[in-house]
Amino acid sequence: MGLRSILKKKIYNLKYLKVKKNDIKEKLFLITGASSGIGLALTNKLAENNKIIAVYNSNNSNLEKINSNNIIKVKCDLSNFLDYGELTEVLAKHKIDIIINCAGQFGSNNQLIENIDFDSLIKIFKINSISLLKILQLLSKNDGLKCINKIINISSDAGSIKLNNQGNAYVYRITKTSLNSISKNLSIDLNKRYNSEIITVDPGNVQTGMNTKGLLDPNKCAEYIIDIICDKKNNLNGKFIDLFKKEIPW
């Protein structure tokens, strides 16, 4: 990493100096995308005092490194609705308090109209947005929807229609816009029915496998997401926010 990149990273991280205290205890979390990036960081932190159903796609080696008996590891390809068998069985046995939906893929680096792979688009669409609806449908079969206190959807400002002034990235943008739409709909539906809180979060420029040049450490990002979950002062239901709880236009 060059000097300019190091300075850029340090300047970016100056905004995130305050350490957030994790005071969530004895909750049951469902975390998708739990084997890497933000999902892994959240799983690691929350497993200290909570039970975690950690959903991963194929490789759980990072989860195996976490020394905790509070993690239930569940393999599920969220893009393949025929692969939800194990997850279905686990959800039938548990009542989820909080869902953190971290699973996401960017797609090809070249997403110009001429280069869109539609099979890949449909796969990523399932992962980035509608897999959440599938999970909620599974929970509904065992009366599990009424137990959900919060749903945190990890989205991106790339999904904001109003902020889009660059174009391109069709696959990523439209799948995140879809997730935003689902979040807003759930914030009305589930809040009215069960008083559940649905919050959509843009985590910013986080260093993950999908964004290897990201500037913010996923562990620091996880602290801020936990702070959002713990927030009792602000009404965040149905809002699209950044890590500082500042609203982002849909």
Side-chain angles (χ1 to χ4, degrees), residues 125-156:
F125 185 75
K126 289 180 179 178
I127 295 170
N128 288 6
S129 57
I130 60 175
S131 61
L132 174 64
L133 289 178
K134 180 64 175 177
I135 290 170
L136 293 177
Q137 187 180 72
L138 293 175
L139 286 170
S140 72
K141 295 179 180 180
N142 297 288
D143 218 20
L145 287 183
K146 65 172 62 176
C147 301
I148 298 172
N149 180 250
K150 294 178 190 285
I151 298 175
I152 307 295
N153 281 318
I154 304 302
S155 184
S156 168

Side-chain angles (χ1 to χ4, degrees), residues 25-218:
K25 296 180 179 179
E26 299 179 355
K27 300 293 185 182
L28 177 56
F29 284 81
L30 171 69
I31 301 179
T32 67
S35 61
S36 64
I38 299 170
L40 179 65
L42 284 163
T43 300
N44 192 25
K45 290 180 181 296
L46 290 169
E48 295 177 12
N49 299 305
N50 304 273
K51 293 283 187 179
I52 312 292
I53 296 175
V55 181
Y56 68 95
N57 185 4
S58 57
N59 186 348
N60 71 345
S61 58
N62 289 329
L63 289 171
E64 292 290 349
K65 296 175 184 176
I66 302 176
N67 184 22
S68 174
N69 293 322
N70 288 333
I71 301 174
I72 302 170
K73 295 178 280 290
V74 180
K75 182 180 180 299
C76 180
D77 177 357
L78 295 175
S79 71
N80 180 5
F81 291 160
L82 298 178
D83 193 42
Y84 279 61
E86 182 181 352
L87 180 58
T88 301
E89 291 179 7
V90 172
L91 294 181
K93 299 175 184 177
H94 297 87
K95 300 299 183 184
I96 310 298
D97 296 300
I98 300 171
I99 296 175
I100 311 181
N101 183 30
C102 297
Q105 290 188 10
F106 184 81
S108 167
N109 289 327
N110 189 341
Q111 295 184 20
L112 292 173
I113 293 172
E114 296 87 343
N115 296 295
I116 294 175
D117 180 332
F118 286 93
D119 288 335
S120 176
L121 168 59
I122 293 170
K123 177 180 179 180
I124 294 172
F125 185 75
K126 289 180 179 178
I127 295 170
N128 288 6
S129 57
I130 60 175
S131 61
L132 174 64
L133 289 178
K134 180 64 175 177
I135 290 170
L136 293 177
Q137 187 180 72
L138 293 175
L139 286 170
S140 72
K141 295 179 180 180
N142 297 288
D143 218 20
L145 287 183
K146 65 172 62 176
C147 301
I148 298 172
N149 180 250
K150 294 178 190 285
I151 298 175
I152 307 295
N153 281 318
I154 304 302
S155 184
S156 168
D157 62 0
S160 168
I161 294 174
K162 185 171 184 178
L163 293 182
N164 184 2
N165 59 8
Q166 295 179 319
N168 204 348
Y170 280 89
V171 173
Y172 189 64
R173 288 188 187 279
I174 65 176
T175 56
K176 286 300 185 180
T177 300
S178 173
L179 176 63
N180 291 355
S181 178
I182 289 170
S183 294
K184 182 63 178 178
N185 218 46
L186 290 172
S187 74
I188 299 169
D189 182 24
L190 296 188
N191 185 262
K192 185 184 297 182
R193 292 162 63 183
Y194 309 118
N195 202 33
S196 304
E197 189 176 14
I198 288 76
I199 307 167
T200 312
V201 179
D202 168 32
N205 194 358
V206 185
Q207 186 175 24
T208 65
M210 187 173 67
N211 182 26
T212 56
K213 295 182 179 180
L215 302 176
L216 182 63
D217 185 274

